Amino acid sequence: VDEDGEGAGGDADEDVDLLTKFIVFLKERKVTALEDAAAEFGLRAADAVARVQALEGMGHVTGVIDDRGKFIYISNSELDAVAKFVQKKGRVSISALAQESNKLIDLTPRKLEADEAEEGDAAEEPTGDAAS
């Protein structure tokens, strides 16, 4: 324990805080050029892509990375709305799914409320595991 009363865990807390900021950054922007995210957080573009993929794998964010290197964040409620559409319609063409998804998925950047920032995309706090 150092003079401030913190042990060696201080760096881990900073990593979790930075990871939480990265997640909020993606959620608020909705459509994020991963190159911009990399610049904002002092990462290489390839590291930003790897971080987003790791966060998706852990369930902290959901979305898609398009062919131009943009991550499109899709909230659980938006995914549920798309799933309900497919269940209601049954068999759906790709064009009909794309058209309905454009209606159901809001791509407008916005400031998250405190409860949305901690939204249950994953039940637990992010760990530093995806920070590499």
Side-chain angles (χ1 to χ4, degrees):
V1 178
D2 63 18
E3 292 177 30
D4 295 27
E6 287 190 26
D11 289 341
D13 290 343
E14 288 176 25
D15 289 346
V16 169
D17 187 47
L18 192 59
L19 195 56
T20 301
K21 287 179 182 177
F22 189 80
I23 292 168
V24 170
F25 182 82
L26 295 174
K27 288 181 176 184
E28 286 184 342
R29 306 250 336 241
K30 291 292 281 184
V31 179
T32 305
L34 292 176
E35 203 169 88
D36 294 346
E40 178 76 19
F41 289 90
L43 302 169
R44 294 179 316 169
D47 293 337
V49 170
R51 180 171 290 182
V52 167
Q53 290 171 334
L55 289 169
E56 280 186 296
M58 292 185 295
H60 292 296
V61 295
T62 52
V64 294
I65 298 175
D66 74 5
D67 58 340
R68 295 169 296 184
K70 290 184 179 180
F71 176 71
I72 302 167
Y73 169 72
I74 304 170
S75 71
N76 284 338
S77 60
E78 291 167 334
L79 283 174
D80 288 344
V82 172
K84 285 177 186 172
F85 168 76
V86 172
Q87 289 171 345
K88 180 180 172 186
K89 293 289 185 181
R91 202 166 188 177
V92 180
S93 70
I94 294 290
S95 61
L97 180 60
Q99 185 177 13
E100 191 66 20
S101 294
N102 286 336
K103 294 177 192 172
L104 297 173
I105 299 172
D106 180 15
L107 300 179
T108 308
R110 63 188 177 93
K111 192 77 172 150
L112 293 181
E113 300 297 322
D115 60 329
E116 290 177 297
E118 299 168 4
E119 180 181 80
D121 282 337
E124 69 276 351
E125 279 286 312
T127 60
D129 296 343
S132 56

